[in-house]
């Protein structure tokens, strides 16, 4: 082994050769390990974009990505709400394994009584931050030569743990959206630039800035950019121009006299006709277009895998009652397909453009798929519940497998504590309040209108047994009966939802579609900038 080599004694030609070889090796690494751009929407529903069937919302840039890439029709988030599904993307694990089973900040155990829902059960306790010992996809890519960058929403433990604590070398904007969609943002991780600036556009600009600087300083090093929008989460806000355009569009399409119906718990929106929500989607799509154009401008599109998806289903009830996902039943926070089925697009240079895939995939699959595409070693001890779907992207198949969900909580969008298994076309939902299941066949009943328990009792028994074994294997925490439960008080709460709340939502819907509607004098500060 040579030590203390005098560089001055090495011939110039040899030094040049060494330098050339080093550059060649670096370039080889870049060629072998493509850039990864992961775009995550917040609360965007399965058919809230044009290429997934929406006739009202307009998403030309996302649609263009699908036209050049691969679109999945049966893609699922790992949970019906944000923090758990995001944690599963980062870890490749189902929610009971990492322990983040509800959105971080929601009450559980006896604290749940403070919500005054008078529920039968006390929701299970859960982790309030992504566990430090988890080896995230960002950490893995960083350790394999990637520059890691994140812009936008974190919601996996802030302020206890930030993106920088879990593998992201550069992070902007993870401090929340207390200020809304227009500056001032009141975000400690995102200093204001210009008054009235749109949050989605700003996150797009921050991502562009990162890519430009990366090209200047580290052109031979691959990057992992995680663009995590706050859109289209409530409180929904848009500018007057977009509201007016979509209000007029709703009128041309025909405005229904009634917009909601009760589905077991809360009122559920029945039509995609919310002009404010449409504006939020359009602004996010504008930002995505900016980023994709910059990829092409920098020549990075030839060596970048772009992934677009959502963290859970769209909000059909609760929060801002923003959208309708029909024919899917339910939405965010709820146990039906509307709560867990999400849009998913992969786009990369070698893909067969315009491909559509029906095979069910889930959020735990991103971790191994990204590593597989990047030519890196898999870490099955970490991403225990994910599989690489590269074979699907290459026109082949993956081994059939059951998919699982566990949500031992009450969703503030009307969801009930439940666990789910999907196996083939069969889906079984187990409810903790009543200890009974609902069996559906999604091939013949995508809307989950007709349980098939009576027709297929053996299938119910089979899937229940498999689900219960899985819950045991992952040490799933479960809700418990509340000894202070009062059915009379609970009935009063639900009666209020079915009467007063329903009327409030119907009025708000009609107000937003009125030509003279105005949220405030400055349109949430959007009017302080020149459009």
């Amino acid at each position: 082994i040579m030590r203390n080599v005098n560089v001055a004694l090495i011939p110039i030609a040899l030094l040049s050769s060494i330098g050339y070889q080093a550059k060649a090796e670096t370039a080889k690494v870049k060629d072998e390990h493509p850039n990864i751009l992961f775009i995550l929407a917040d609360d965007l529903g399965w058919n809230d974009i044009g290429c997934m069937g929406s006739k009202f919302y307009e998403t030309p840039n996302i649609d263009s990505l699908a036209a050049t890439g691969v679109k999945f029709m049966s893609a699922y988030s790992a949970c019906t709400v944000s923090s758990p599904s995001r944690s599963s993307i980062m870890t490749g694990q189902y929610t009971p394994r990492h322990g983040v089973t509800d959105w971080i900040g929601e009450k559980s155990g006896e604290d749940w009584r403070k919500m005054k829902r008078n529920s039968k059960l006390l929701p299970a306790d859960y982790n309030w931050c992504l566990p430090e010992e988890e080896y995230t996809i960002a950490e893995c890519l960083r350790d394999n030569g990637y520059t890691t960058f994140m812009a936008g929403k974190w919601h996996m433990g802030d302020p206890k743990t930030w993106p920088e604590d879990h593998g992201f070398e550069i992070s902007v904007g993870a401090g929340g959206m207390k200020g809304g969609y227009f500056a001032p943002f009141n975000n400690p991780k995102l200093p204001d630039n210009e008054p009235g600036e749109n949050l989605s556009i700003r996150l797009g600009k921050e991502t562009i800035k990162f890519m430009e600087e990366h090209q200047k300083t580290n052109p031979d090093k691959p990057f992992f950019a995680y663009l995590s929008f706050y859109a289209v989460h409530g409180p929904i806000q848009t500018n007057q121009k977009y509201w007016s355009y979509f209000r007029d569009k709703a009128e041309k399409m025909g405005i229904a006299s009634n917009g909601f119906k009760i589905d077991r718990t809360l009122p559920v929106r029945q039509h995609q006709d919310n002009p404010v929500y449409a504006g939020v989607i359009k602004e996010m799509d504008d930002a995505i277009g900016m980023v994709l154009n910059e990829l092409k401008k920098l020549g990075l599109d030839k060596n970048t895998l772009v992934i677009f998806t959502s963290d859970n289903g769209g909000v059909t009830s609760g929060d801002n009652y923003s959208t309708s996902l029909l024919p899917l039943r339910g939405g965010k926070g709820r146990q039906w397909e509307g709560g867990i089925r999400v849009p998913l697009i992969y786009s990369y240079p070698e893909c067969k453009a315009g491909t559509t895939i029906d095979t069910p995939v889930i959020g735990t699959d991103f971790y191994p798929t990204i590593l597989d595409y990047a030519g890196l070693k898999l870490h099955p001890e970490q991403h225990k519940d994910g599989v690489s779907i590269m074979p699907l992207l290459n026109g082949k198949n993956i081994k059939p497998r059951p998919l699982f969900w566990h949500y031992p909580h009450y969703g503030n969008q009307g969801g009930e504590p439940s666990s789910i298994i999907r196996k083939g076309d069969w889906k079984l939902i187990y409810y903790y309040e009543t200890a009974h299941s609902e069996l559906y066949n999604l091939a013949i009943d995508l809307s989950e209108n007709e349980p098939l328990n009576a027709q297929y009792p053996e299938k119910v028994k089979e899937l229940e047994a498999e689900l219960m074994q899985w819950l045991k294997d992952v040490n799933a925490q479960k809700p418990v009966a509340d000894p202070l439960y009062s059915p009379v008080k609970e009935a009063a709460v639900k009666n209020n939802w079915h009467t007063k709340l329903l009327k409030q939502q119907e009025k708000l819907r009609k107000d937003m579609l009125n030509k003279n509607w105005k949220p405030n004098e400055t349109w949430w500060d959007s009017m302080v900038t020149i459009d």
Side-chain angles (χ1 to χ4, degrees):
I1 300 173
M2 295 180 63
R3 300 181 186 275
N4 301 320
V5 176
N6 188 339
V7 177
L9 298 178
I10 300 177
I12 297 295
L14 181 56
L15 280 175
S16 299
S17 174
I18 293 172
Y20 175 80
Q21 289 176 356
K23 287 184 178 179
E25 284 299 314
T26 304
K28 183 179 179 182
V29 169
K30 176 65 183 290
D31 290 338
E32 290 179 349
H33 304 303
N35 304 309
I36 311 292
L37 172 59
F38 194 108
I39 304 173
L40 184 65
D42 191 356
D43 292 357
L44 184 74
W46 178 67
N47 53 3
D48 277 348
I49 54 179
C51 65
M52 292 297 289
S54 179
K55 303 298 182 185
F56 183 60
Y57 310 129
E58 298 183 11
T59 53
N61 296 300
I62 299 173
D63 298 346
S64 177
L65 189 67
T68 61
V70 178
K71 180 175 65 175
F72 286 79
M73 300 303 294
S74 298
Y76 290 98
S77 60
C79 188
T80 63
V81 293
S82 175
S83 301
S85 65
R86 290 166 182 266
S87 298
S88 291
I89 290 171
M90 285 292 133
T91 64
Q93 296 179 7
Y94 282 128
T95 59
R97 290 198 199 271
H98 55 65
V100 183
T101 56
D102 204 357
W103 61 271
I104 293 172
E106 181 59 294
K107 299 185 185 308
S108 61
E110 293 185 357
D111 280 349
W112 175 249
R113 295 187 186 122
K114 297 176 182 178
M115 300 299 292
K116 298 182 179 179
R117 292 270 296 272
N118 296 292
S119 311
K120 293 179 182 177
L121 304 177
L122 297 176
D125 289 330
Y126 64 95
N127 284 339
W128 275 49
C129 64
L130 185 62
E132 183 180 353
E133 63 270 18
E134 298 293 348
Y135 188 54
T136 69
I137 181 62
E139 290 174 296
C140 186
L141 291 173
R142 179 201 62 195
D143 294 346
N144 281 278
Y146 276 73
T147 299
T148 54
F149 164 85
M150 177 186 164
K153 183 173 181 177
W154 178 242
H155 206 193
M156 285 178 273
D158 42 311
K160 291 183 179 180
T161 58
W162 290 107
E164 297 91 330
D165 300 311
H166 292 281
F168 287 98
E169 298 165 294
I170 308 166
S171 171
V172 293
M177 59 172 295
K178 293 180 180 178
Y181 280 102
F182 299 95
F185 300 126
N186 192 20
N187 183 325
K189 298 285 186 177
L190 190 69
D192 295 324
N193 281 344
E194 54 189 83
E197 182 180 27
N198 178 267
L199 180 57
S200 295
I201 298 298
R202 173 64 180 280
L203 294 177
K205 288 180 178 179
E206 291 291 342
T207 305
I208 289 171
K209 179 182 176 182
F210 160 74
M211 292 191 300
E212 290 176 340
E213 291 181 353
H214 184 270
Q215 277 297 89
K216 291 178 182 178
T217 58
N218 295 291
D220 296 321
K221 189 176 182 181
F223 66 74
F224 172 53
Y226 176 57
L227 172 53
S228 177
F229 286 104
Y230 287 93
V232 291
H233 194 287
I236 55 173
Q237 300 171 347
T238 191
N239 59 63
Q240 186 176 17
K241 176 183 175 181
Y242 280 174
W243 165 81
S244 180
Y245 172 83
F246 286 107
R247 194 223 71 86
D248 292 347
K249 183 175 183 178
E251 188 172 64
K252 290 175 184 176
M253 293 176 68
I255 299 174
S257 56
N258 294 305
F260 295 86
K261 80 170 187 178
I262 302 297
D263 189 354
R264 266 204 334 225
T265 51
L266 293 177
V268 179
R269 197 177 191 102
Q270 298 298 295
H271 309 284
Q272 290 190 348
D273 59 3
N274 186 329
V276 176
Y277 183 68
V280 180
I281 292 176
K282 184 66 172 66
E283 287 157 347
M284 180 182 68
D285 186 76
D286 290 345
I288 291 172
M290 291 167 49
V291 174
L292 296 179
N293 287 337
E294 187 66 19
L295 269 180
K296 293 179 182 178
K297 179 182 174 182
L298 296 173
L300 297 172
D301 58 316
K302 298 177 178 62
N303 192 38
T304 300
L305 168 65
V306 181
I307 301 172
F308 172 81
T309 192
S310 176
D311 63 346
N312 48 247
V315 182
T316 61
S317 56
D319 299 352
N320 281 88
Y321 295 81
S322 304
T323 191
S324 171
L325 301 178
L326 297 175
L328 301 188
R329 185 178 181 183
K332 176 185 177 181
R334 310 197 81 167
Q335 59 277 5
W336 297 298
E337 289 292 286
I340 53 179
R341 197 177 283 221
V342 293
L344 173 61
I345 299 166
Y346 278 77
S347 182
Y348 54 100
E350 306 88 358
C351 74
K352 185 178 179 182
T355 301
T356 297
I357 296 176
D358 293 320
T359 304
V361 296
I362 194 166
T364 55
D365 297 333
F366 290 120
Y367 198 136
T369 303
I370 289 172
L371 293 185
D372 202 2
Y373 186 81
L376 299 173
K377 177 184 176 183
L378 299 185
H379 289 268
E381 72 286 353
Q382 171 59 53
H383 48 77
K384 295 177 178 138
D385 301 310
V387 301
S388 171
I389 63 171
M390 278 301 297
L392 293 174
L393 297 173
N394 292 329
K396 300 177 182 179
N397 296 314
I398 60 174
K399 184 179 179 180
R401 56 182 172 150
L403 301 180
F404 298 96
W405 294 263
H406 180 58
Y407 189 61
H409 309 279
Y410 290 96
N412 56 308
Q413 301 82 15
E416 301 152 76
S418 57
S419 296
I420 304 169
I421 178 175
R422 172 172 177 172
K423 191 173 185 180
D425 292 326
W426 294 102
K427 177 181 177 182
L428 181 133
I429 306 172
Y430 178 82
Y431 293 90
Y432 288 97
E433 278 195 346
T434 56
H436 89 288
S437 299
E438 292 174 349
L439 177 71
Y440 299 101
N441 188 295
L442 298 177
I444 60 175
D445 184 17
L446 185 61
S447 300
E448 298 170 279
N449 287 321
E450 190 66 37
L452 299 174
N453 298 51
Q455 295 91 329
Y456 298 94
E458 290 304 313
K459 181 59 69 173
V460 172
K461 186 176 179 180
E462 170 199 332
L463 294 180
E464 276 189 353
E466 191 167 354
L467 177 60
M468 295 305 159
Q469 184 61 52
W470 173 79
L471 290 167
K472 181 179 179 181
D473 292 344
V474 297
N475 192 30
Q477 304 302 302
K478 300 175 182 178
V480 297
D482 185 354
L484 302 185
Y485 168 68
S486 165
V488 174
K489 291 182 179 180
E490 183 189 38
V493 171
K494 290 185 176 180
N495 181 64
N496 182 64
W497 291 347
H498 298 174
T499 55
K500 183 178 179 181
L501 182 59
L502 178 62
K503 290 180 181 179
Q504 288 176 344
Q505 291 305 317
E506 289 286 10
K507 181 179 183 304
L508 181 59
R509 170 179 172 265
K510 291 177 180 178
D511 286 347
M512 284 187 176
L513 288 165
N514 187 298
K515 287 184 178 181
N516 299 316
W517 183 75
K518 201 173 184 180
N520 58 27
E521 289 302 313
T522 63
W523 274 84
W524 298 298
D525 293 332
S526 68
M527 292 175 65
V528 300
T529 56
I530 298 175
D531 193 11

